[in-house]
Amino acid sequence: MARFIAKRVALGLITLWLLSVLIFLLAQVLPGDVARRILGPFADQKAVDALNEELGTDRSLIAQYGDWISGFVTGDMGESLAFRRPVDDVLGPALVNSGKLALLAFAIVVPLAILGGVYAALKEGRPADRLLSVGGLSATAIPEFVWAVVFILVFALTLDLLPVTAQAPPGAGFFTELKYLLLPALCLVFVLFGYIARMARAGTIESLDADYTRTAVLKGLSRRTVIRRHVLRNSLVPTIAVVATQTGYLIGGLVVVETLFNYPGMGRLIFTAVAQKDFPLLQSAVLVVGIVFLIAMLLADLAYSLLNPRIRFAGAK
């Protein structure tokens, strides 16, 4: 197990380094001038050049990258050019907000999708299977911002059951925050349900046809015991991987949803950093999302290696 974890961590560190280089280079090709963006279009060119020198954006790309990545590793992400505050002070609240929304969405969709996928597999070819499969995939095909607009119109403006914004008042309690986050979470549930349920269904059907399932049935075990001990244990492996891959999307990819619900999460923050050419904030935000994603993937590797030891032994070679 230690060898398996060490290999995964090493691959994760290499991936993060490649991500840091990629996002740094992509940030440099954004159109416009940083100092000009800060000072405005009518600022004197000498003042613009002086500010570029002060910010260090006139230095070579290698020097800029070295300063940024060395600071990031030591915990100094620099200062946001748009907010004029340390980057970690800006990133912290946004990451917490996105984490709350992602956790609520997962808490709703993962149990429902797994139950739906398993039930559809047990009813393969029957109307219940077709209804869950077609309905789930149809919901997934509709973009999350369409669901957001529909839910706002129905539940917030028409029925007045839920708030139109996801930002709870300062000092709000747990259940109050839950109420404010419910609408955007439901948008994500409808988008993710079909995908996760489809994987759970496929994994369950494959497990039902496996040799170990037939052996368990021939041993005289009840259908419920076979499903609980043998089928679910193996069918959850691809489902766990799919759930983990959605972490990056939920943490940093919800720009439209966060904008519609006026929610200050990571997606909206990254969009603001791109619009303002805020290099320190943009680079650090994307790298933080990458770290969260890789941690989720590492946890997924650990989970399905425990469910299926053959994966662990193969990955440690």
Side-chain angles (χ1 to χ4, degrees), residues 147-294:
W147 286 116
V149 172
V150 172
F151 287 157
I152 289 174
L153 290 174
V154 175
F155 294 104
L157 300 180
T158 303
L159 300 178
D160 197 23
L161 294 176
L162 294 170
V164 71
T165 178
Q167 181 64 29
F174 172 77
F175 290 103
T176 302
E177 286 198 36
L178 199 65
K179 179 180 179 181
Y180 275 81
L181 288 175
L182 192 55
L183 271 188
L186 287 177
C187 299
L188 305 177
V189 167
F190 274 77
V191 171
L192 296 177
F193 175 84
Y195 189 28
I196 298 175
R198 189 74 175 175
M199 294 303 297
R201 177 185 180 276
T204 303
I205 291 175
E206 183 179 353
S207 296
L208 287 171
D209 292 335
D211 292 338
Y212 55 79
T213 303
R214 298 192 191 97
T215 302
V217 172
L218 292 174
K219 287 168 60 178
L221 297 178
S222 65
R223 179 177 174 83
R224 178 176 296 181
T225 302
V226 171
I227 292 173
R228 179 168 53 86
R229 291 186 181 179
H230 300 278
V231 175
L232 286 180
R233 181 183 180 92
N234 292 278
S235 66
L236 287 180
V237 172
T239 307
I240 291 173
V242 169
V243 171
T245 58
Q246 300 304 311
T247 304
Y249 161 69
L250 290 179
I251 295 296
L254 303 179
V255 178
V256 178
V257 170
E258 290 176 356
T259 301
L260 286 173
F261 287 99
N262 192 31
Y263 192 61
M266 288 291 290
R268 202 166 127 191
L269 187 66
I270 291 174
F271 177 77
T272 301
V274 171
Q276 299 292 331
K277 281 188 68 71
D278 191 342
F279 292 160
L281 179 58
L282 172 62
Q283 294 161 183
S284 297
V286 173
L287 196 54
V288 165
V289 172
I291 291 173
V292 172
F293 175 77
L294 288 176

